[in-house]
Amino acid sequence: MKRDFFTYLKSYSFDPQKIDRIIVSNFLYSNNIHSCKNQLVENLRIHDTDPDFADLKKIITSYSISSIEDLIEVFEFVISPEEKVVTGAVYTPNYIREFIVNNTIEEGKQIDPAFRVWDPACGCSGFLFTVAKRLKEITGKSYSDIYRENLYGLDIQEFSINRSELLLTLAAIVDGEDEENFDFNLHLGNALNFDWNKEIAEFTGFDAIVGNPPYVCSRNIEGESKDLVHNWSVSKSGHPDLYIPFFELGITFLKPNATLGYITMNTFFKSVNGRALREYFRNQKLDMDILDFGAFQVFESKSTYTCICLIKNSPSKKLHYVKLSDTNSLLSDGISFESIAYESLDFEKGWNLQEREILNKIESTGTPFSKKFTSRNGIATLKNDIYIFDPIDENDHFYFLQNGQQYPIEREACVDVINPNKLTQLDSIETIRKKAIFPYQIENGQATITPEEEFRTQYPNAYSYLLSRKEILATRDKGKGKEYDVWYAYGRNQSLENYQFKLFFPHISPSIPNYVINDEPSLLFVNGLAIVGENERELQYLSKIMSSRLFWFYIVNSSKPYGSGYYSLSRNYIKNFGIYNFSDEQIEHLIELSDKNEIDNYLENLYGIDLNPSKRNVQSQPYTLPGRTSQTQPKPVKEYV
């Protein structure tokens, strides 16, 4: 029913005020609030004499917005998909908000008019509503006083500030507080350069900071934020996502001994763009608790990999970490963390937060993977459906491509291409071969784009087909196709070179994948990954290592998790795996081994590591979140080995 309602709203209007009018009226009538003193709300009420009353009745019949939680979810939903990409808006479930707020505003905290709580990217203020409830429970103050004295919100979108005022007003009304007007400290602005000294006299910081920093990847950051993000020291490595500077700006505005609570991406543990943030945490050495959800999806209909970070602005030599398999543990009386010294964490390589002793031993063995082997990502046409095809027929001169109609494409204009991501299930590449139109010339193993006149003359059919798709190709990179060397060039120049030997494997996998060695220099690959080399022998013994229990243990405990139990095998997550300094005899012996158990035992013996499940018993050091009242011992979380 909710999905039908959201579908209707999408077709109803894109005017924020019109949408707000029908949502607020739905809430009022669903809660039998037929009149109120508050002018902000009354001005949006749809009366039975209004022309849009029929639309309201139809919507209420489909879906009734009867609770504040429904209201928060609807307000967040009606942000258009395009705006969600730019602003990173997302609905945060109530149990997450309550957990964070309860652990940033502890029982017994002195709440006076100078006690200030801030959400730096408040959206429609779901977090601030939860804070208001918490403060009311602790102090008994009115919502009116809490809004005026204690709550501070900031957002980059004007409609978000408007909806924040509506949400907080309606929350007070349904709780019996109906005022003509409420005074809010809700500000329109960019958190990356907002100056609180201009808004708060004698500003010394906030007593608590809560929120869900925007989920915007680096390539989607727009406007002034694209430049402002680089003004923060934590954004100095890689291509920083928008959530990264929100840690530094939050801590900058946090009073001593006050607590910041975010639910945010967990990718900064290992990512290149998280390196400067990890260094910042090491240098600051603050009292931080990390509750990592791994691959568990907290947010409905959004593929994000998240963690809760509770950071107290007080010195500590250690951070505290736990990996949770679901959100049920948040409801328990105690959570067992592992205490990890900041000095034991390598901010450059990435944080090993679980199975640290074994992972560190693996990484300190021999030579790092990236120093010994060269990995490549697949080609990036940015329009695979135009360049890559499975021929519906062929003859001595042409492959026949079906794309709206049938096109003959010169055989010489094509090369074979595979998708190694299929190797999670398959152990051969023969059934996944396709053809790719290849408008390049190879000289001494290097690829250069074929000049247009030469390409048109030599391969008129392939040229004509691509010309018919020229407008579509121009939309690549958000319409920046004109910046390509030639309009029909691939979107990126990566992995076009010829290599004699390649070891193919998938980008992500739920278990040890299949590894396939190939000796065709011209064979391209799309998606997936490959290790390239000059001789087959080195790839043969590498495939034995990468197929081992030891290597997969490393992946599961150190790489990026995905949904359905998949883990990343990309370059950034395997680069620090230590390759044992094998002798020639040891390499030959490893290559000759065929029994999986023998391979596992042989490698683990060389590394001095025993991964036999029957001999492993991982324990977390008991540590309970400060401020949580409990009469029971901390409960260990589910094993994540």
Side-chain angles (χ1 to χ4, degrees):
M1 189 67 72
K2 184 189 299 183
R3 183 176 300 173
D4 294 340
F5 169 64
F6 286 165
T7 301
Y8 180 82
L9 276 181
K10 288 172 70 174
S11 63
Y12 177 69
S13 177
F14 288 101
D15 180 351
Q17 187 171 16
K18 190 174 182 181
I19 288 288
D20 290 350
R21 178 175 163 85
I22 207 159
I23 289 174
V24 168
S25 296
N26 185 319
F27 181 84
L28 292 173
Y29 287 112
S30 296
N31 285 276
N32 296 314
I33 302 173
H34 299 291
S35 66
C36 59
K37 293 187 295 184
N38 186 270
Q39 294 304 303
L40 178 67
V41 169
E42 277 300 315
N43 288 340
L44 289 175
R45 183 190 294 273
I46 297 175
H47 298 277
D48 56 10
T49 56
D50 293 333
D52 48 357
F53 187 74
D55 291 323
L56 174 63
K57 287 182 63 178
K58 182 177 181 180
I59 288 178
I60 292 177
T61 300
S62 169
Y63 184 76
S64 174
I65 305 173
S66 56
S67 70
I68 292 295
E69 208 57 39
D70 292 337
L71 189 61
I72 296 171
E73 190 168 2
V74 171
F75 272 154
E76 293 290 2
F77 171 81
V78 295
I79 299 172
S80 72
E82 291 78 12
E83 287 165 340
K84 280 181 179 289
V85 170
V86 173
T87 66
V90 66
Y91 165 73
T92 306
N94 180 49
Y95 64 89
I96 296 290
R97 301 197 313 269
E98 288 191 346
F99 179 86
I100 290 174
V101 169
N102 291 347
N103 283 284
T104 53
I105 305 173
E106 302 168 14
E107 291 281 1
K109 204 88 167 178
Q110 182 176 351
I111 311 297
D112 56 32
F115 185 89
R116 300 185 179 105
V117 184
W118 178 42
D119 184 342
C122 64
C124 74
S125 286
F127 264 99
L128 292 181
F129 161 67
T130 305
V131 170
K133 285 198 307 177
R134 175 72 166 170
L135 295 182
K136 189 174 178 65
E137 291 169 359
I138 293 174
T139 67
K141 292 173 61 174
S142 67
Y143 280 118
S144 179
D145 289 342
I146 291 170
Y147 296 164
R148 183 179 63 256
E149 298 171 353
N150 306 121
L151 295 193
Y152 288 78
L154 179 66
D155 201 90
I156 201 168
Q157 294 288 352
E158 185 175 6
F159 60 74
S160 292
I161 297 301
N162 294 337
R163 287 171 181 165
S164 292
E165 293 184 353
L166 287 170
L167 175 74
L168 296 174
T169 297
L170 290 168
I173 290 173
V174 296
D175 208 27
E177 295 184 30
D178 185 8
E179 304 284 345
E180 286 190 14
N181 294 287
F182 291 96
D183 294 327
F184 297 106
N185 300 298
L186 300 170
H187 299 271
L188 180 65
N190 193 318
L192 298 178
N193 68 346
F194 196 81
D195 187 358
W196 281 105
N197 291 294
K198 294 180 179 179
E199 302 296 337
I200 302 175
E202 299 180 3
F203 178 66
T204 58
F206 292 101
D207 297 273
I209 296 175
V210 297
N212 185 347
Y215 288 34
V216 185
C217 68
S218 59
R219 67 177 177 274
N220 290 325
I221 301 176
E222 296 182 350
E224 65 174 357
S225 295
K226 193 170 185 178
D227 295 322
L228 292 175
V229 70
H230 295 286
N231 291 341
W232 297 88
S233 68
V234 296
S235 302
K236 302 302 183 183
S237 59
H239 302 285
D241 298 334
L242 189 54
Y243 79 92
I244 285 177
F246 274 75
F247 278 106
E248 185 178 358
L249 74 86
I251 292 169
T252 299
F253 291 121
L254 195 63
K255 285 183 179 179
N257 297 312
T259 302
L260 173 152
Y262 285 161
I263 180 165
T264 189
M265 305 289 287
N266 61 14
T267 52
F268 73 87
F269 301 165
K270 282 283 187 174
S271 65
V272 173
N273 67 11
R275 183 186 299 146
L277 177 59
R278 295 190 295 270
E279 183 179 17
Y280 174 82
F281 284 137
R282 186 201 65 175
N283 294 338
Q284 293 289 316
K285 289 186 174 62
L286 299 178
D287 189 1
M288 176 161 62
D289 301 321
I290 299 175
L291 298 95
D292 180 16
F293 292 111
F296 181 79
Q297 299 291 291
V298 171
F299 298 110
E300 185 178 351
S301 302
K302 194 170 182 69
S303 296
T304 52
Y305 306 97
T306 57
C307 64
I308 291 175
C309 293
L310 301 169
I311 306 174
K312 189 172 184 179
N313 194 8
S314 61
S316 174
K317 294 181 179 180
K318 298 180 178 180
L319 62 77
H320 311 283
Y321 173 85
V322 65
K323 186 172 182 180
L324 306 177
S325 58
D326 54 40
T327 57
N328 293 333
S329 297
L330 297 180
L331 305 177
S332 66
D333 292 326
I335 301 174
S336 290
F337 289 73
E338 182 176 4
S339 296
I340 305 172
Y342 280 105
E343 293 301 327
S344 70
L345 296 173
D346 190 325
F347 74 86
E348 290 185 341
K349 289 183 178 180
W351 284 355
N352 290 329
L353 296 173
Q354 52 184 337
E355 300 289 359
R356 291 182 306 109
E357 183 178 346
I358 295 178
L359 295 187
N360 290 340
K361 191 169 187 178
I362 292 173
E363 291 184 347
S364 64
T365 298
T367 305
F369 192 108
S370 61
K371 301 292 185 183
K372 201 165 184 66
F373 299 102
T374 301
S375 62
R376 288 285 184 267
N377 294 313
I379 62 171
T381 70
L382 303 190
K383 280 295 177 184
N384 288 345
D385 58 339
I386 290 178
Y387 291 96
I388 297 174
F389 65 101
D390 202 356
I392 60 172
D393 200 1
E394 63 180 276
N395 60 30
D396 291 342
H397 302 288
F398 299 103
Y399 296 116
F400 292 91
L401 179 158
Q402 183 70 43
N403 192 344
Q405 66 182 69
Q406 189 177 118
Y407 296 89
I409 306 296
E410 291 86 356
R411 296 177 71 100
E412 292 79 8
C414 301
V415 296
D416 281 4
V417 62
I418 65 165
N419 180 357
N421 281 344
K422 304 292 185 182
L423 296 176
T424 57
Q425 302 292 330
L426 304 174
D427 58 7
S428 170
I429 63 173
E430 296 312 310
T431 60
I432 57 175
R433 286 180 183 265
K434 293 187 177 184
K435 302 298 177 183
I437 299 174
F438 190 67
Y440 293 86
Q441 299 172 337
I442 300 293
E443 295 182 7
N444 299 320
Q446 300 301 308
T448 57
I449 191 71
T450 303
E452 186 166 2
E453 182 59 26
E454 182 178 341
F455 186 56
R456 184 186 66 81
T457 302
Q458 191 170 2
Y459 307 114
N461 293 69
Y463 179 85
S464 178
Y465 164 70
L466 291 178
L467 187 64
S468 72
R469 299 297 191 271
K470 185 174 182 179
E471 290 186 5
I472 299 175
L473 293 176
T475 65
R476 294 177 292 174
D477 274 333
K478 299 182 179 179
K480 297 178 182 178
K482 62 181 183 295
E483 298 179 1
Y484 298 160
D485 294 337
V486 181
W487 60 267
Y488 51 78
Y490 289 176
R492 303 284 183 270
N493 290 326
Q494 65 193 44
S495 299
L496 300 178
E497 309 94 334
N498 277 3
Y499 289 96
Q500 181 63 54
F501 295 100
K502 307 180 190 76
L503 176 67
F504 293 118
F505 56 100
H507 171 63
I508 61 173
S509 181
S511 57
I512 298 174
N514 294 305
Y515 297 87
V516 174
I517 297 174
N518 181 269
D519 62 359
E520 301 169 69
S522 64
L523 179 63
L524 297 181
F525 67 105
V526 63
N527 305 319
L529 299 159
I531 306 299
V532 298
E534 297 302 323
N535 66 77
E536 186 174 10
R537 181 172 176 266
E538 67 175 1
L539 298 185
Q540 286 177 333
Y541 89 80
L542 177 61
S543 68
K544 295 293 181 72
I545 295 172
M546 296 180 73
S547 299
S548 70
R549 178 170 62 185
L550 181 73
F551 188 82
W552 189 246
F553 177 90
Y554 182 83
I555 292 297
V556 169
N557 289 286
S558 69
S559 81
K560 179 180 178 179
Y562 287 87
S564 303
Y566 280 70
Y567 294 90
S568 175
L569 290 144
S570 67
R571 179 188 311 168
N572 188 54
Y573 299 107
I574 65 176
K575 65 182 181 181
N576 295 316
F577 182 90
I579 300 296
Y580 187 81
N581 292 327
F582 296 95
S583 66
D584 289 341
E585 291 77 11
Q586 288 171 326
I587 288 177
E588 292 303 325
H589 180 65
L590 180 59
I591 291 174
E592 291 173 1
L593 290 175
S594 59
D595 181 79
K596 186 180 184 312
N597 288 331
E598 289 184 359
I599 295 171
D600 289 339
N601 292 332
Y602 181 66
L603 288 173
E604 289 168 28
N605 181 60
L606 291 177
Y607 280 76
I609 294 171
D610 189 352
L611 296 180
N612 189 323
S614 64
K615 298 181 181 180
R616 304 196 67 247
N617 183 22
V618 180
Q619 298 290 332
S620 293
Q621 298 177 24
Y623 170 82
T624 305
L625 287 170
R628 300 197 75 197
T629 56
S630 172
Q631 302 300 317
T632 62
Q633 293 296 317
K635 300 176 182 178
V637 298
K638 182 179 179 181
E639 286 292 341
Y640 48 86
V641 176

